[in-house]
Amino acid sequence: GQLVESGGGLVQPGDSLKLSCATSGFTLHYYAIGWFRQAPGKEREGVSCVVIPDNNTYYSDSVKGRFTISRDSAKKMVYLQVNSLKPEDTAVYYCAAAVRPLYPCVDKDYEYDYWGQGTQVTVSS
């Protein structure tokens, strides 16, 4: 499978962005799509994920209430609406697809099978 992120950019604190993840390939086999981020000098962090069979969504505590994951199955797109951005949200954001069941999907980045190239989000005044 292939995943391509887009929608990142340079924004000010408090601004919003909508990140997009275009999926292709054997998308019917995907169990979950997750969003992860990695800031310079830090480990990769799970942000949010959606489980395809039941459309349940999960969020890390650091973004709960500010970020919203959604998907358009017809377009094979997964989105991450990011609101009330903070400087500490600055990172490269990746989407990833897992083909095997996993729980919780927001933490286990090592169980994801396909990754996009990432999109940079920079929050600065």
Side-chain angles (χ1 to χ4, degrees), residues 11-49:
V11 297
Q12 295 186 337
D15 284 352
S16 299
L17 284 173
K18 187 172 186 178
L19 308 183
S20 299
C21 174
T23 68
S24 63
F26 297 103
T27 58
L28 291 178
H29 298 282
Y30 293 164
Y31 177 83
I33 302 290
W35 281 96
F36 299 84
R37 66 185 181 184
Q38 188 164 23
K42 294 188 177 181
E43 293 187 353
R44 188 164 56 196
E45 172 193 17
V47 174
S48 180
C49 58

Side-chain angles (χ1 to χ4, degrees), residues 19 31-32 37 39-42 48-49 52 56-57 66 71 77 86 88 91 100-101 110 116 120 123 125:
L19 308 183
Y31 177 83
R37 66 185 181 184
K42 294 188 177 181
S48 180
C49 58
I52 304 301
N56 281 342
T57 59
R66 298 190 298 124
R71 67 186 185 101
M77 297 290 294
K86 306 174 182 179
E88 51 264 41
R100 292 172 295 274
Y110 51 88
Q120 176 72 47
V123 186
S125 55

Side-chain angles (χ1 to χ4, degrees), residues 31-32 36 49 51 58 102-112:
Y31 177 83
F36 299 84
C49 58
V51 175
Y58 301 87
L102 71 162
Y103 182 83
C105 58
V106 72
D107 291 339
K108 299 181 178 179
D109 60 335
Y110 51 88
E111 294 197 17
Y112 280 76

